[in-house]
Amino acid sequence: MADNPMKQAYRVAQELLKDSIRRSSPETLQILENIRQADVVVVQGQYDRIQDVLEISGMPYTLVNAERFDKAELRPDQIVFVNCPGQLSGRAINKLEVFVREGGFLFTTDWALRNVLQMAFPGYVEYNDRPTRDEVVRIELLERDDPLLGTVLDANDDPQWWLESSSYPIRVLNKEQVKILIQSKEIEQRHGEAPVLVSFPYGEGVVYHMISHFYLQRTETRTARHAAPSMTYLASKGVAEGAFEKYEKLGAEELTTGQLESALSSNTIILAALLRHKARSGKATGRDE
C-alpha cells in the first residue's frame, strides 16, 4: 500500500531541512545529531503522534504511556513532549510542574492546554471554550529572529495549518510572559484567538504549546502556488537541479508545494524546539553543545 502523501511530504521535508541546515549552519546539524534517546521523552496520547514525526525525522526518543510516566524519573536537561489529549494523573501534573520549574523543557499539543497547562501552570494560557471545526488555516511566523524558523520558513512561504475538529484555541492570560511565536488571523476571525504556537518561561524552564496536532498535517490548495509541483518549491529553497534525484526517490514528484510546505512547517517547529532546549540545557550545565 502506498504511503499517505503527507508521510512522503514529511520525509522530503526532513531531507530539505537537513540540507538547509547543512548549508547555513553545519554546527547546528551536529547538535541535532548528538541528541540521545534519553534526552527526549514522549508521552503517548490518543489524538497526536509526535513520536511518528520524530521517527520519520530519524530523531531518537523514549516513548512512555501515561501510567509509566507517573513513575518516570525526569532530569532538567530533558525535553518532554505530551501528545494530545494529555490525560495525566494529578501526580504526573505535579511532576511536570517541578520538572519545568527546575529547568525542564515541556512541549504540549491541543487538548493538553486544558488537561495539563491550565492545571500545572495556571494564569498563563487557557482554552477559550470556542472549539474549532475541521479546517485548514493560514499561519504567520512572528519569530523571524529564530535561527531555524527564520531561515527555513522565509517571507515567501505561505504555510497552512490543519485544525482538527474541536481543536482548542489558545487565550493568552499573562501577556508579559507568554510569547506568541506563530499566529493565524483566520483562527482569530473564526474562533476568537490568534495564537498557533506560544511559549513562556516558568522557573528555570520553559513551556511550549501548539494548537492542533503535529502528525500528518494536511493542506488545502488555495492558490496556484500551493498547487504547483513540489520540485518548484525545492528549487526556490536553493536545491540545485542536480540534487533533485534524491528528493524524487523520496516521492517529491508526487507532492504539491502546499503539502511539502505544511510538512516543512511541522518538522521545523519540532527541530527549533529541540535546538532551543539543547542551547538552554548546555548553558545551564556549562557544557559545549
Side-chain angles (χ1 to χ4, degrees):
M1 182 181 296
D3 271 348
N4 178 302
M6 286 308 295
K7 281 189 177 181
Q8 290 176 256
Y10 273 102
R11 293 191 182 101
V12 175
Q14 179 60 21
E15 194 63 32
L16 175 59
L17 188 51
K18 285 184 176 179
D19 280 351
S20 297
I21 296 171
R22 191 176 291 114
R23 288 195 304 270
S24 62
S25 178
E27 63 276 11
T28 297
L29 195 61
Q30 185 63 47
I31 292 171
L32 291 171
E33 290 173 349
N34 286 339
I35 292 175
R36 300 290 177 257
Q37 183 176 2
D39 295 337
V40 182
V41 178
V42 180
V43 183
Q44 285 181 306
Q46 294 171 272
Y47 305 122
D48 201 359
R49 296 181 60 84
I50 294 173
Q51 64 271 22
D52 287 1
V53 180
L54 293 170
E55 190 80 36
I56 292 170
S57 302
M59 190 65 61
Y61 62 90
T62 299
L63 183 66
V64 298
N65 59 32
E67 292 74 22
R68 284 181 56 206
F69 187 69
D70 270 5
K71 302 175 182 177
E73 295 292 331
L74 299 178
R75 306 188 317 266
D77 63 339
Q78 291 175 308
I79 181 168
V80 174
F81 289 95
V82 177
N83 279 304
C84 176
Q87 291 178 326
L88 303 176
S89 68
R91 178 179 178 182
I93 296 294
N94 291 336
K95 183 194 297 283
L96 285 173
E97 188 276 330
V98 173
F99 166 70
V100 177
R101 176 158 41 88
E102 294 181 348
F105 192 112
L106 175 65
F107 202 120
T108 60
T109 63
D110 215 13
W111 289 6
L113 175 60
R114 169 174 281 176
N115 294 333
V116 176
L117 299 192
Q118 289 181 212
M119 298 174 69
F121 315 100
Y124 286 88
V125 289
E126 69 177 10
Y127 170 40
N128 76 343
D129 290 311
R130 292 177 59 179
T132 70
R133 301 182 299 274
D134 185 315
E135 54 195 309
V136 175
V137 297
R138 277 192 168 99
I139 61 175
E140 176 188 0
L141 178 66
L142 300 181
E143 189 71 353
R144 290 287 174 192
D145 61 345
D146 183 282
L148 186 59
L149 290 177
T151 55
V152 175
L153 299 173
D154 59 39
N156 295 319
D157 285 311
D158 182 20
Q160 301 175 70
W161 201 252
W162 177 25
L163 304 177
E164 296 195 52
S165 181
S166 296
S167 286
Y168 285 3
I170 306 163
R171 175 183 290 145
V172 173
L173 300 176
N174 189 331
K175 298 185 186 299
E176 291 186 0
Q177 293 291 312
V178 178
K179 191 170 188 178
I180 302 173
L181 306 176
I182 297 175
Q183 70 174 9
S184 170
K185 293 177 182 177
E186 291 183 4
I187 299 179
E188 184 175 28
Q189 291 165 358
R190 300 173 192 176
H191 308 292
E193 308 294 340
V196 171
L197 176 67
V198 299
S199 71
F200 59 87
Y202 182 83
E204 298 297 318
V206 66
V207 175
Y208 275 66
H209 178 76
M210 188 195 72
I211 189 173
S212 197
H213 305 151
F214 272 113
Y215 182 59
L216 290 189
Q217 275 288 317
R218 66 176 173 84
T219 189
E220 286 179 350
T221 303
R222 295 188 173 194
T223 66
R225 177 186 172 281
H226 287 141
S230 72
M231 306 305 282
T232 303
Y233 182 70
L234 289 170
S236 75
K237 289 296 183 182
V239 176
E241 188 172 342
F244 278 179
E245 184 177 355
K246 71 175 178 180
Y247 290 102
E248 292 169 352
K249 289 180 179 178
L250 293 170
E253 286 187 308
E254 302 168 26
L255 302 172
T256 65
T257 287
Q259 289 171 323
L260 180 52
E261 194 171 51
S262 290
L264 183 64
S265 301
S266 182
N267 270 1
T268 302
I269 290 168
I270 287 184
L271 290 192
L274 288 168
L275 286 169
R276 284 189 174 202
H277 174 59
K278 292 297 286 182
R280 284 176 60 91
S281 62
K283 289 176 183 176
T285 59
R287 295 194 308 265
D288 270 335
E289 295 295 350

